[in-house]
Amino acid sequence: MLAYALRRLLISVPILIASTFIVFIGGALTANPLNQLQARNPPPPPRVLELERQRLNLDEPLLERYWNWLIGLFQGDFGPSVHSNLDLGSEVIARFGVTFRLIFLAMLIALILAIIVGVISAVKQYTKLDYTFTFFGFLFLAMPSFWFAILLKEAGISFNNAVGEQVLYTIGDSSVYVAGGAWAEFTDVLGHMVLPTISLALLSFAAWSRFQRASMLEVLNSDYVRLARAKGLRRGKVMRKHALRTALIPLTTVTALDLGAIISGAVVTENVYQWRGAGSFLLESIRNDDVYAIQAWLLISATFIILFNLVADLLYGVLDPRIRYA
């Protein structure tokens, strides 16, 4: 298993390096950080533009800028922002901290629901329960993420108005001031996560449950599961140790591949609920043509996608030992 893990890790390193080059070149060629300054009326003096160009390293050749940026990344420096008083490193890490707690909880809930619903649908194939799960699965699949988030937000506002107090939080990732210490702050953050997490989790769960159902049906009809049942093993043991373990491999693949879609869904969800997370950070950076901020966002997202796919590769070896020896 160690050799298998090392091989996967070594494969991920050149992919990560290639992603830094693609991210930097793509960002540098698609936006001009001086646009906001040049659009002012009256226009700034040429000397101001030249000094800003030097501060943003725009006077250097493109490949030299990439190399200096790459070296800076190892020192925790993501480059200069168009806002001279903004530390991109601390800002982007703080924003992603807000976003990834939403993504982690949403993915965890979506995975648990997908496995439970997918297994039950496969075992109860063509029953009323299977048709009910299928209906709701396709219903959530058909809903645009922004529309579903708005519906939940409006439902939360209506519920608060009905009970006469704020039970469900519909704006922000936390309250401005919370009295009561660390536990009160923790519960406040959890309260703000309820509606956004439901919004993001249900849309992911809908697709994953269909994959889990199809995978489980394929495994249940395989010869080795029939053989295990014929040998007298209990149905629960066959489902847990033989069928479910193998059926989780396709779901692991889909989950790893969907991380990018979940991050983009989090951008939309955060915008609806007015979170100050990575989503709003990206939109602000795009509006301001803040190239280094956009590159920082893309690089961190790419890094997490690569790491998540690495974890998925390692899980393959855990779920099916034949893979690690292949």
Side-chain angles (χ1 to χ4, degrees):
M1 185 64 183
L2 180 60
Y4 173 77
L6 288 175
R7 286 199 304 269
R8 294 301 174 187
L9 183 61
L10 290 175
I11 292 173
S12 300
V13 172
I15 296 176
L16 181 59
I17 294 174
S19 69
T20 63
F21 182 77
I22 295 172
V23 163
F24 183 87
I25 298 299
L29 296 179
T30 54
N32 180 12
L34 298 177
N35 276 342
Q36 299 288 331
L37 191 60
Q38 292 171 338
R40 290 182 181 178
N41 191 14
R47 179 60 179 167
V48 174
L49 288 174
E50 184 60 29
L51 290 175
E52 188 68 4
R53 184 184 301 276
Q54 293 175 6
R55 187 182 72 83
L56 296 173
N57 304 324
L58 300 179
D59 57 333
E60 300 174 357
L62 187 60
L63 292 181
E64 183 179 342
R65 283 168 53 197
Y66 165 71
W67 178 253
N68 292 333
W69 177 73
L70 186 62
I71 296 300
L73 291 177
F74 290 101
Q75 302 171 355
D77 182 11
F78 287 89
S81 170
V82 294
H83 306 290
S84 57
N85 59 343
L86 179 64
D87 181 6
L88 274 183
S90 58
E91 183 71 11
V92 74
I93 291 174
R95 295 294 194 96
F96 266 97
V98 172
T99 297
F100 275 111
R101 75 188 183 205
L102 169 64
I103 291 176
F104 175 78
L105 186 58
M107 290 185 68
L108 181 62
I109 294 174
L111 276 172
I112 293 173
L113 287 176
I115 293 172
I116 294 174
V117 171
V119 170
I120 294 176
S121 293
V123 174
K124 304 291 185 180
Q125 187 183 18
Y126 301 139
T127 63
K128 291 182 179 179
L129 188 59
D130 180 30
Y131 289 133
T132 301
F133 286 146
T134 300
F135 170 77
F136 282 104
F138 283 113
L139 178 65
F140 289 126
L141 277 174
M143 287 186 181
S145 58
F146 71 91
W147 186 66
F148 185 50
I150 293 173
L151 284 181
L152 278 180
K153 184 176 182 178
E154 292 298 322
I157 294 173
S158 300
F159 181 81
N160 290 338
N161 292 334
V163 300
E165 59 179 318
Q166 189 172 37
V167 178
L168 298 172
Y169 295 93
T170 56
I171 294 179
D173 56 277
S174 61
S175 299
V176 176
Y177 174 75
V178 180
W183 176 251
E185 293 178 359
F186 177 72
T187 54
D188 176 73
V189 169
L190 284 182
H192 282 83
M193 290 180 64
V194 172
L195 292 180
T197 301
I198 293 174
S199 174
L200 198 58
L202 288 183
L203 295 178
S204 300
F205 139 80
W208 294 350
S209 64
R210 306 311 300 164
F211 278 103
Q212 181 64 23
R213 178 184 182 273
S215 178
M216 197 69 186
L217 283 174
E218 182 179 356
V219 173
L220 289 177
N221 293 323
S222 62
D223 292 337
Y224 74 91
V225 171
R226 292 198 188 98
L227 176 61
R229 293 287 293 148
K231 289 169 64 176
L233 293 178
R234 293 193 304 272
R235 182 180 180 86
K237 187 174 182 179
V238 172
M239 294 288 295
R240 186 178 65 256
K241 296 193 66 175
H242 296 274
L244 180 58
R245 185 170 178 174
T246 304
L248 285 175
I249 294 177
L251 180 62
T252 302
T253 304
V254 172
T255 305
L257 294 176
D258 278 355
L259 181 59
I262 294 172
I263 293 176
S264 63
V267 172
V268 175
T269 304
E270 286 181 2
N271 193 40
V272 171
Y273 290 96
Q274 300 177 34
W275 278 35
R276 281 191 58 79
S280 60
F281 177 78
L282 175 65
L283 296 178
E284 292 166 7
S285 301
I286 292 174
R287 283 193 292 266
N288 295 325
D289 291 312
D290 199 344
V291 173
Y292 287 103
I294 297 172
Q295 290 168 347
W297 191 96
L298 290 174
L299 180 61
I300 292 179
S301 299
T303 302
F304 272 97
I305 291 173
I306 292 171
L307 289 176
F308 204 78
N309 278 272
L310 174 62
V311 172
D313 285 342
L314 298 179
L315 284 176
Y316 295 155
V318 174
L319 294 172
D320 190 349
R322 295 173 299 177
I323 295 176
R324 72 182 84 152
Y325 296 117

